[in-house]
Amino acid sequence: MQHSNTQKAQIYLEILGKVIKEERLRQNKSQRILADEFDFQKSMLSRIESAVNESKIISLCTISEALGIKLSELIRRVESQLPDDFTLIEK
């Protein structure tokens, strides 16, 4: 998926990764433990937390379930850390 403003997309991905990592660390779990407990690849989690690439919606659903939070809560946390006037699409 290409965004007209890749810098803005990168900001969003970095905050998403930060929110996921904060919740994982709050639960005192390593990437390996979380991935092993819920049968997904540690590398996927690592790439998302590091904002290396865009994540698929199913990956975010899996991670949010593994963390015991709803996907909507994960997105709410991300949105709460974005600037008030943040948009991915230029008007």
Side-chain angles (χ1 to χ4, degrees), residues 1-2 7 19 23 25-26 28 30 34-35 37 39 52 58 63-65 67 74 77 79-80 82 84-86 91:
M1 174 188 240
Q2 291 292 323
Q7 186 176 17
V19 167
E23 181 61 26
L25 293 175
R26 188 187 70 74
N28 295 315
S30 68
L34 190 67
E37 284 179 354
D39 198 30
V52 171
I58 198 69
I63 291 169
S64 65
E65 284 183 25
L67 292 170
L74 177 65
R77 291 181 189 184
E79 289 176 337
S80 73
L82 291 169
D84 290 335
D85 60 348
F86 184 87
K91 297 178 184 180

Side-chain angles (χ1 to χ4, degrees), residues 48-88:
I48 292 170
E49 285 187 0
S50 301
V52 171
N53 58 349
E54 293 181 24
S55 49
K56 296 178 182 178
I57 190 74
I58 198 69
S59 299
L60 294 178
C61 290
T62 302
I63 291 169
S64 65
E65 284 183 25
L67 292 170
I69 60 174
K70 292 184 176 197
L71 180 59
S72 58
E73 173 61 16
L74 177 65
I75 300 304
R76 188 200 62 73
R77 291 181 189 184
V78 171
E79 289 176 337
S80 73
Q81 294 189 32
L82 291 169
D84 290 335
D85 60 348
F86 184 87
T87 63
L88 287 172

Side-chain angles (χ1 to χ4, degrees), residues 5-13 85-90:
N5 191 335
T6 56
Q7 186 176 17
K8 284 188 168 187
Q10 188 61 35
I11 290 168
Y12 193 95
L13 294 172
D85 60 348
F86 184 87
T87 63
L88 287 172
I89 300 170
E90 293 297 324

